Amino acid sequence: MSGSRLGRKEVNLCRIQYAIWKEECKDMDSHVGSSKIITAPIITEDGKPIKDPLVLLEATSDQHTMQGSSSSSGNENEVDKSENRVVNKQTIEWKLLLHQIGLDVLRTDRSMVFYENKENLSKLWDILAVYAWIDKEVGYCQGMSDLCSPMIVLLNDEADAFWCFERLMRRLRGNFRCTQQSVGVENQLQHLASIIQVLDPKLHDHLETLGGGDYLFAFRMFMVLFRRELSFGDSLYLWEMMWALEYDPDIFSTYEHIGTVAGVTPGYKQKVKSMRQFGKYERENMKNGTSDNDGPVPISVFLVASVLKENSPKLLQEARGIDDVIRILNDVNGNLDAKKACAIALKLHRKYLKK
């Protein structure tokens, strides 16, 4: 979102668009942009304001807040004024998310001095609240605060941080599409199972014996891209390396368009003159012609595989149940070398393609 990639005019348009969306959200709930964070429910599932003392203390829901949804859409039927009740379904669903966003924000990167400033916490809450409104299909899910936090830390302008997070979500929002039947990262978990089965069959068989053949214990690594396994600085270092290795000019060009939101990208491609323009991981995929209906396997799958391979001896010797697997992988925290993990991931990728 810097001026070096986008023109100053486009950057200003992005900031204006964010301000418009934020104002819409503020009309629906006056806590947006107020430097306050909601940590208790303010509305029931049928749209009635909650008058619990705790809620009134933490997030006073005044008359302006409850009537704002009608001004944002121009639909007077969105609020039942006789009961002071919101009747618009989308507004209710959004309001129901606000306290969950607040609870997660208060748990995000709290060891950092940066978040001792309450204004920085409220920035994070505001951005996630606005995103939950514009991406109505996904809304907000736990883990998004971990992905958004670095944008707040690195960028002074709140609108710029929002747009960087929105671009990141274009890549990752599929991870947060969960139903009663499946989780958003299911394909990645299946790829991970196939990779370990091929490259370390003993470990795969052991995990299956323990009831971990679905590899759900790796769920968090995929959802928040190692933010919990690495320090703040190392996780950003890993992200940069990972995306450089995966670099595809055709995909990158879609991130420069400001007219698309929440995963909808324009249908055009630029001509690529040489494979050298691609990242190292993508070049390997192109040479081997490896792709399926969902595109090539993301390098994050091989990164998780590298963690399992490095800890394979310990998992085989010590893991007697899934709780042990989770404990051993949690011990990776602070000990994972990002550069080494990427190098091992590339080696595993080459081995897997050969086999």
Side-chain angles (χ1 to χ4, degrees):
M1 287 303 299
S2 68
S4 61
R5 273 291 172 194
L6 288 177
R8 180 53 49 189
K9 181 180 178 182
E10 285 80 3
V11 170
N12 288 335
L13 286 173
C14 286
R15 290 173 176 173
I16 291 168
Q17 181 61 74
Y18 175 70
I20 291 169
W21 283 330
K22 187 173 179 179
E23 195 61 33
E24 283 182 18
C25 293
K26 189 174 181 180
D27 283 343
M28 291 184 292
D29 193 283
S30 61
H31 298 96
V32 175
S34 69
S35 298
K36 294 180 181 177
I37 295 175
I38 294 174
T39 57
I42 59 169
I43 195 171
T44 64
E45 291 186 1
D46 60 357
K48 293 180 180 178
I50 295 177
K51 297 179 180 179
D52 182 271
L54 177 63
V55 179
L56 292 174
L57 177 67
E58 294 193 357
T60 304
S61 197
D62 58 18
Q63 190 74 10
H64 168 70
T65 298
M66 297 309 301
Q67 292 181 351
S69 56
S70 62
S71 64
S72 66
S73 67
N75 183 355
E76 293 181 358
N77 295 324
E78 286 192 355
V79 176
D80 184 341
K81 293 182 179 179
S82 63
E83 297 184 11
N84 202 22
R85 182 170 69 92
V86 178
V87 295
N88 179 269
K89 185 179 178 182
Q90 289 183 337
T91 306
I92 292 172
E93 289 176 352
W94 176 74
K95 281 175 170 281
L96 289 170
L97 290 171
L98 295 180
H99 79 283
Q100 185 58 55
I101 295 173
L103 291 171
D104 289 347
V105 162
L106 292 180
R107 291 191 287 256
T108 302
D109 291 328
R110 289 319 304 274
S111 62
M112 296 180 65
V113 175
F114 179 82
Y115 283 117
E116 290 178 7
N117 184 336
K118 290 184 178 180
E119 287 186 10
N120 293 328
L121 282 174
S122 64
K123 266 190 194 179
L124 181 57
W125 186 80
D126 284 344
I127 287 175
L128 293 169
V130 173
Y131 183 83
W133 175 246
I134 65 156
D135 188 355
K136 293 179 175 61
E137 182 187 358
V138 174
Y140 172 81
C141 302
Q142 195 169 29
M144 287 185 184
S145 59
D146 294 284
L147 298 175
C148 185
S149 176
M151 315 307 174
I152 305 289
V153 175
L154 295 173
L155 298 166
N156 291 326
D157 190 279
E158 183 180 317
D160 292 350
F162 167 83
W163 282 107
C164 284
F165 173 66
E166 190 272 335
R167 292 307 195 265
L168 176 58
M169 286 304 298
R170 291 190 192 192
R171 295 177 62 106
L172 301 177
R173 67 194 293 274
N175 290 353
F176 295 93
R177 287 199 189 103
C178 298
T179 66
Q180 291 182 342
Q181 290 76 35
S182 65
V183 294
V185 296
E186 188 170 9
N187 284 345
Q188 294 169 70
L189 293 172
Q190 289 173 357
H191 285 309
L192 178 63
S194 298
I195 291 165
I196 297 300
Q197 187 173 19
V198 170
L199 300 181
D200 196 339
K202 282 187 179 180
L203 177 60
H204 178 75
D205 291 345
H206 183 58
L207 292 172
E208 278 207 321
T209 301
L210 299 179
D214 53 13
Y215 285 73
L216 278 172
F217 54 81
F219 178 86
R220 190 179 73 184
M221 292 185 197
F222 287 120
M223 291 295 284
V224 297
L225 291 181
F226 294 91
R227 277 296 326 276
R228 306 281 180 86
E229 282 70 36
L230 292 166
S231 68
F232 184 85
D234 282 350
S235 63
L236 299 193
Y237 181 71
L238 179 68
W239 287 7
E240 288 217 36
M241 290 188 69
M242 178 174 64
W243 293 329
L245 291 167
E246 277 189 330
Y247 177 72
D248 179 341
D250 288 340
I251 295 175
F252 181 78
S253 63
T254 66
Y255 291 87
E256 295 188 330
H257 281 243
I258 65 169
T260 57
V261 174
V264 181
T265 53
Y268 87 95
K269 290 191 175 184
Q270 63 186 48
K271 290 184 179 179
V272 179
K273 296 179 181 179
S274 169
M275 280 178 60
R276 292 176 66 187
Q277 294 185 49
F278 288 80
K280 190 173 182 180
Y281 181 81
E282 281 302 310
R283 290 201 299 271
E284 289 290 330
N285 278 327
M286 292 176 72
K287 286 178 185 176
N288 290 276
T290 55
S291 63
D292 52 36
N293 293 333
D294 298 318
V297 179
I299 195 172
S300 56
V301 178
F302 287 93
L303 283 166
V304 176
S306 75
V307 173
L308 294 178
K309 279 288 290 177
E310 285 291 286
N311 289 275
S312 181
K314 195 169 187 178
L315 288 166
L316 289 169
Q317 291 174 14
E318 298 181 17
R320 296 292 176 264
I322 293 300
D323 288 344
D324 290 331
V325 174
I326 294 170
R327 173 183 55 78
I328 292 167
L329 293 180
N330 282 342
D331 288 343
V332 170
N333 293 7
N335 299 315
L336 184 62
D337 184 308
K339 191 172 182 179
K340 183 180 178 182
C342 283
I344 295 172
L346 287 175
K347 287 180 182 178
L348 294 180
H349 183 230
R350 285 193 291 270
K351 281 184 181 180
Y352 186 68
L353 292 180
K354 287 178 182 178
K355 292 190 176 185

